[in-house]
Structures are given as C-alpha cells and as structure tokens.
Amino acid sequence: HATGSEVTTQTSTGTPAPSGTGTMLLTQLPEDVLYQVLLYLGAKDLGRLSQVSKSLHGFVNRDAVWKKLAKECLNTGITRNGTDIYPDIPLKERVRIAQNWFNGVCKSSLPLKWKTKLLPWLQLDMDVLYISQAAHIRGYHLDRDSKKLRRSPSEIYSGHQGDVCRFVLSDSHLISAGSDGNILVHSRRGGVSLRLSGHSQEVNCLDSKDGLIISGSRDRTARVWTLSSYSPRATIAMFDRVWSVAISPTLSSFVTGTACCENFFPLRIWDVERSACLCHLGSDFRRGAGVLDILFESPFQLLTCGYDTFVRLWDLRLSPQRCVMEWEEPHDSTLYCIQTDGNNMIASGSSLYGVVRLWDKRQTKCLQVFQLSRDAASSPVYCLRLSSSHLYAALASALHSLDFRQNTTSS
C-alpha cells in the first residue's frame, strides 16, 4: 500500500515490514510499474497524489495516466474507437470538465438574441460558430480563452431567396439548403461557386462528404449530387416528405428519414451508386412518427430521433439491422435534434420549453436536464453543437450557451 509518496510492503501476517527493509519511494518504481499502479486510482486520488512532490506531479499529469479515466467519462474527446478529438487540451483538464458535464455544473448565457422567430441551424468549426438566421449564415469567432462569441460576425454567407433550412461545412465549402428549393455551394474564400436547382419545394435536409451531396425535400424526393455537376446524379421518389438525411462514413450508402405519413418505414438505407433501397430500419413506427435527425457514430452505428419522442441507436452489423438501445423523452415531447461525443454521451433537444437533456448511454434514465426557455411561448431546440467545454443550443429567438468549465473541488 502507498503512504504519501512511499510504498510499504507487508509481512505474511499483514504487519508492515521493518523500516528500511520493505519501504521505497513511489518515484523509485519503474515508470511502467508506476503507471500500472495509477490505473487503479480515480480522479480525486490522482489529483491529491500530484500534490505530493514535483516529480509525481509531472508524472501524474501525463495524458497516458488519464486516458483510461477519460474513456469512461462524458465528452472528453476520446471516441469509442480511440480517436482524440481535442489533442491540444490536457486529459486531466478534460476529465475535470467531464465531471461537470456528468453533474450538470455549468453557467448559462445568451450570446445572441434576435426579434423575429426563426428555425436556426448551427455548425461548429474549431473556434468559429456558424449560425443560420433567415436567408443568411453568419460565422462568429470564439475568443480563445473566454470562449465568448465576438459581437460582429467574421463571415457572412448569403444568396438564398428564402430561409436557410440546413447547411454543412467542408474544408473548402459551406453548402446550404433553403426554403427556395435551391442548394448553394459557397466557397469559404468568398462567393457562391455553384447553385444546384431541382427541388420544387423547400429543401429540409442536407448532408455532404467528400464532394458527395444528399438532399431531401418537402417535394417528397431525395437527390444525389456531386460538386462537379449542376444537375442531380439521381432523383429518388420517396412518396413522403423527407425530414433528415445522413451519409455513411464509408460514402457507399446514405440514410433518409421521412415524415411517416405515407410510408410506415420512415428510416431507409440507400446505395449511393445505384440509388437503390438496401433495407429499412424498424417496422413498428406509428403514423406521423417522422425522423427529424440522423447521426452516424461509426459506419455501423446510427442514432436517430424525431416525433416518436425516442432517441434510438441502430446496429447495422446485425441481420436484420435493428435498434439495440433507446432513450425515451420522459415528457412525451418531440425530439428535434441530437449530438454525441462519439463515446458515452448523447445530448437531445426537445420541442417544448427549450429542454436539453444529457444521456449516458450506459443507462436509460436521463442524466441531466436543462430548461433554456422559460417564456409562455416556448421554443423547440432546433440544433445542438458540442465542444470540449461548451454546449450551444439554437432556439427560435436566441442562441444559448452552457459553459461546463466551472471550478469544482473534486481535484
């Protein structure tokens, strides 16, 4: 057992060995042995041990010591496959903030407000938060230290004759879908480089990866586009309004979510090359149980949510593909959007009172709930985005920010 910075061995009877015969400093252990010892400690114990001496402080603060803990926590940036999303932030600091996510310790603020009620959408790219407001998309830089939005936008993208419904980002382009039925490909260096026209009604949803674009519309079609063509490569008759689409990380297939008014299989997987339906997911959706948001966690795992008030996790490796876990919104509210940390956490946005819920995938009960709108005329949460320390939620007339960096006494 360890006492301070010493390791004391014991005799076979359980009493400590005589002084000088079985005692050594922790720092005298080989590094690989010390590392294995520290794997048994929790965050509080590691924090206290780091205060014993300078040498232990340096060793304990290494990312390798905290990696096992980080994988078990919420939103530390370590995904299920081991990818590190935030390599520039020490893991010890991320584990500290993760405890705040788990306990709901945060500070709420309103970085942006506007008078007209809108259906805003968000994207977060490094230190820039993009938000659609009517026909425009504005990019706001986040201050590196305070993470507050600067008052004036650094980028503005325009061109639609109606409201922007959805938009996605790539390294070189911002691609937006509008209520005017058009898809605009904006160069991130400035200007509209491509206008894709084909839908007869508003384009509700959009996804894009590696030059491939999938769009879904109220006109009951889904379309497959590429950045190298002005006309769609394929048009798929859906016989129902399309509310959500998502391209698989493999780029070989995509998923559509419809309103479930005309077709009782609202979730279907399509082959990109042949535009043929590969399969449908689930068979017990009730009429009107439309799917409003779809998110791939891996090529084989898919998260969905919508009017039926559930977040569902689908495993595409099983035969047949089926839902393997589900989380129910306890107040029977429509779920407009979902986000995930790629590991243990899901955030969902509800249709009433601006309610955001945090879920731990290892349990079915809601972990934390935040009510962002307290007005009589409540607003849905239309979009959520996560960083290592913040949750951003877009409501009808304001952008809300939850800051989880608050100091605690846990370490």
Side-chain angles (χ1 to χ4, degrees), residues 138-312:
R138 296 178 170 88
Y140 292 87
H141 270 278
L142 299 166
D143 184 85
R144 185 173 296 274
D145 296 321
S146 67
K147 297 301 180 183
K148 291 182 178 179
L149 264 68
R150 297 179 184 175
R151 292 190 176 184
S152 300
S154 57
E155 305 170 45
I156 299 178
Y157 299 88
S158 304
H160 284 285
Q161 300 304 309
D163 289 356
V164 174
C165 300
R166 292 287 190 274
F167 68 94
V168 294
L169 296 169
S170 69
D171 291 339
S172 57
H173 294 92
L174 184 151
I175 305 168
S176 59
S179 61
D180 57 4
N182 292 323
I183 298 168
L184 301 184
V185 180
H186 310 261
S187 169
R188 295 185 68 174
R189 296 180 179 178
V192 176
S193 60
L194 191 62
R195 182 183 295 270
L196 306 178
S197 301
H199 286 291
S200 60
Q201 296 186 47
E202 67 184 53
V203 185
N204 298 313
C205 51
L206 180 78
D207 196 13
S208 178
K209 286 183 175 67
D210 289 355
L212 175 68
I213 302 171
I214 307 294
S215 60
S217 171
R218 186 182 286 270
D219 67 7
R220 302 185 177 193
T221 67
R223 295 178 185 254
V224 182
W225 315 75
T226 62
L227 288 177
S228 59
S229 175
Y230 284 87
S231 57
R233 194 172 79 183
T235 298
I236 304 172
M238 303 294 294
F239 306 106
D240 210 345
R241 290 167 292 175
V242 186
W243 289 136
S244 53
V245 296
I247 301 173
S248 168
T250 65
L251 304 180
S252 62
S253 63
F254 64 93
V255 181
T256 57
T258 60
C260 199
C261 293
E262 306 298 333
N263 189 316
F264 296 115
F265 301 120
L267 272 172
R268 282 177 280 178
I269 300 178
W270 304 83
D271 180 85
V272 167
E273 291 299 325
R274 297 182 291 115
S275 300
C277 182
L278 299 175
C279 65
H280 61 80
L281 302 178
S283 58
D284 55 350
F285 289 93
R286 66 178 186 271
R287 182 178 177 84
V291 178
L292 295 178
D293 203 6
I294 303 172
L295 189 65
F296 272 99
E297 277 210 310
S298 75
F300 311 107
Q301 290 187 312
L302 187 72
L303 286 166
T304 64
C305 72
Y307 285 108
D308 66 349
T309 76
F310 282 90
V311 176
R312 287 189 169 93

Side-chain angles (χ1 to χ4, degrees), residues 29 32 54 60 70 76 88 103 124 221 295 309 315-316 382:
L29 290 173
D32 57 336
K54 288 184 178 180
V60 169
T76 58
D88 296 333
N103 294 314
L124 184 61
T221 67
L295 189 65
T309 76
D315 193 324
L316 307 184
Y382 290 111

